[in-house]
């Protein structure tokens, strides 16, 4: 496995792989890797990538003021070991100054899809994401890029952006990887105390309750939201939103739904967590709690 820190060296390594006939798969991350990230690496192979690239970059552009940029976990050595074990070919771990040198002033902005949900609560966040992902796409030239549905809105936005800008990459959204008790894996779970870890389960419980209601025939968005909200508000400190939206447009669901996406963002102690669950598709619900 090769490790590079400079964009130029990274581009050269990806170019060489493509010239050698390899199919490049990209998995962008902010590091502090867990089984959710590593599932994306496996998914890249399943999608036919035989040169798998993981990028590890805590992207300052996507953090707002007062967010956790400074305390975000940085565990490069462990991350490299995990990548090595998983058969990753190339890791790109740039310093912020290498991605955004002095004078940097260009940003990529996707429209409507970025305005609701996370976009409403984290102004500028998605512009930071789409800017860095565009840079990574242009440096890597991947055939396929794998994102997690844990950040469902992010996945949809990147998919939209690639289509709108004719970036020749297949953007895949991998299902959420959860702990046995239903908690969605997240680098931010490391922040949680034992009590907070327990209360964080409120999110999965709310999603599970909505999935159960859906299975029992409930199809009204407002009812599903109320069902999901119950177990969440019992446990978390503050809810940013609980909503049922259309899985493609992310607009609020209305009337009798044929499918839906329950999304939640909430604070447990000083940690902000997000989770979601698709209704009306075959994804198994967050496990019985
Ligand atoms: P992050 O390092 O948090 O920026 O995440 C990097 C990628 O891993 C993103 O595409 C995330 O959606 C994805 N990811 C993070 N946690 C999970 C999870 N529990 N299941 C599936 N994908 C995940």
């Amino acid at each position: 496995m090769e490790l590079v820190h400079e964009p130029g060296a990274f581009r050269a390594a990806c170019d060489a792989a493509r010239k050698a006939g390899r199919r490049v798969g990209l998995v962008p991350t902010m590091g502090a890797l867990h089984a959710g990230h590593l599932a994306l690496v496996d998914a890249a192979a399943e999608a036919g990538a035989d040169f798998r690239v993981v990028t590890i970059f805590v992207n300052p552009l996507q953090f707002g003021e007062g967010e956790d940029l400074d305390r975000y976990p940085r565990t490069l050595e462990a991350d490299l070991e995990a990548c090595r074990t998983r058969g990753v070919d190339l890791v790109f771990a740039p310093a912020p100054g290498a991605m955004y040198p002095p004078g940097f002033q260009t940003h990529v902005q996707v429209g409507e899809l970025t305005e609701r949900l996370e976009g409403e609560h984290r102004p500028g966040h998605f512009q930071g994401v789409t800017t860095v992902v565009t840079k990574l796409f242009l440096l890597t030239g991947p055939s396929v890029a794998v994102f997690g549905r844990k950040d469902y809105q992010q996945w949809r936005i990147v998919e939209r952006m690639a289509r709108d800008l004719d970036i020749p990459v297949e953007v895949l959204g991998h299902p959420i990887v959860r702990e046995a008790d239903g908690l969605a894996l997240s680098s931010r779970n490391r922040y949680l105390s034992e009590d907070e870890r327990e209360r964080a389960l409120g999110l999965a419980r709310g999603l599970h309750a909505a999935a159960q209601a859906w299975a029992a025939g409930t199809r009204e968005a407002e009812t599903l939201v109320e069902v999901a909200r119950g177990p969440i508000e019992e446990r978390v400190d503050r809810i940013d939103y609980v909503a049922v939206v259309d899985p493609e447009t992310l607009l609020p669901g209305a009337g009798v739904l044929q499918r839906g996406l329950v999304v939640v963002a909430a604070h447990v102690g000083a940690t902000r967590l997000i989770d979601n669950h698709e209704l009306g598709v075959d994804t198994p619900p967050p496990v019985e709690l």
Side-chain angles (χ1 to χ4, degrees):
M1 186 180 82
E2 197 183 346
L3 167 66
V4 293
H5 297 286
E6 294 304 325
F10 177 57
R11 184 198 295 279
C14 293
D15 282 351
R18 266 186 278 99
K19 277 197 193 107
R22 312 276 293 271
R23 189 174 148 86
V24 177
L26 171 67
V27 177
T29 81
M30 297 202 300
L33 300 183
H34 51 63
H37 295 116
L38 299 175
L40 307 187
V41 173
D42 294 348
E46 279 153 32
D50 58 5
F51 188 82
R52 289 176 297 163
V53 176
V54 170
T55 62
I56 298 177
F57 181 54
V58 183
N59 174 30
L61 280 194
Q62 71 188 69
F63 286 77
E65 217 154 294
E67 292 189 354
D68 56 348
L69 173 62
D70 292 337
R71 72 169 182 143
Y72 198 86
R74 288 158 170 91
T75 61
L76 186 62
E77 282 313 311
D79 292 350
L80 293 175
E81 189 50 39
C83 287
R84 223 171 266 126
T85 309
R86 213 64 166 216
V88 169
D89 297 279
L90 174 63
V91 172
F92 177 45
M99 291 298 272
Y100 307 118
F104 183 90
Q105 51 184 291
T106 302
H107 299 87
V108 178
Q109 176 69 52
V110 174
E112 229 178 306
L113 268 179
T114 67
E115 286 165 13
R116 302 193 57 252
L117 305 171
E118 286 302 280
E120 221 170 293
H121 291 269
R122 304 185 68 190
H125 169 67
F126 286 127
Q127 190 188 80
V129 169
T130 47
T131 300
V132 79
V133 169
T134 300
K135 283 172 69 80
L136 295 173
F137 280 174
L138 291 170
L139 287 168
T140 313
S143 298
V144 58
V146 190
F147 292 79
R149 295 192 191 195
K150 160 79 166 36
D151 300 275
Y152 197 100
Q153 188 175 12
Q154 168 178 278
W155 164 51
R156 287 300 195 195
I157 289 167
V158 170
E159 192 182 51
R160 180 80 254 167
M161 177 187 81
R163 210 178 305 153
D164 289 352
L165 297 182
D166 302 308
I167 303 175
V169 60
E170 184 186 359
V171 175
L172 298 181
H174 190 272
I176 299 175
V177 178
R178 297 177 181 280
E179 303 273 12
D181 61 7
L183 184 71
L185 296 189
S186 164
S187 304
R188 290 189 167 95
N189 291 349
R190 295 169 190 240
Y191 300 151
L192 302 170
S193 69
E194 208 175 309
D195 163 68
E196 289 169 347
R197 166 75 179 69
E198 188 59 33
R199 293 193 293 119
L201 280 175
L203 280 74
R205 288 182 196 231
L207 297 175
H208 186 259
Q212 272 184 324
W214 181 276
T218 306
R219 293 291 182 273
E220 296 77 30
E222 300 74 24
T223 313
L224 290 162
V225 167
E226 284 323 304
V227 167
R229 183 182 285 275
I232 300 169
E233 67 190 356
E234 242 175 65
R235 294 174 180 83
V236 307
D237 295 304
R238 182 157 59 90
I239 292 177
D240 276 352
Y241 58 80
V242 180
V244 174
V245 299
D246 181 89
E248 275 175 33
T249 63
L250 304 183
L251 291 170
V256 178
L257 303 179
Q258 269 166 22
R259 56 185 190 160
L261 177 75
V262 198
V263 284
V264 51
H267 299 257
V268 178
T271 306
R272 185 175 185 277
L273 298 170
I274 58 171
D275 202 350
N276 69 80
H277 181 68
E278 286 170 274
L279 303 168
V281 295
D282 288 342
T283 319
V287 290
E288 189 73 53
L289 303 165

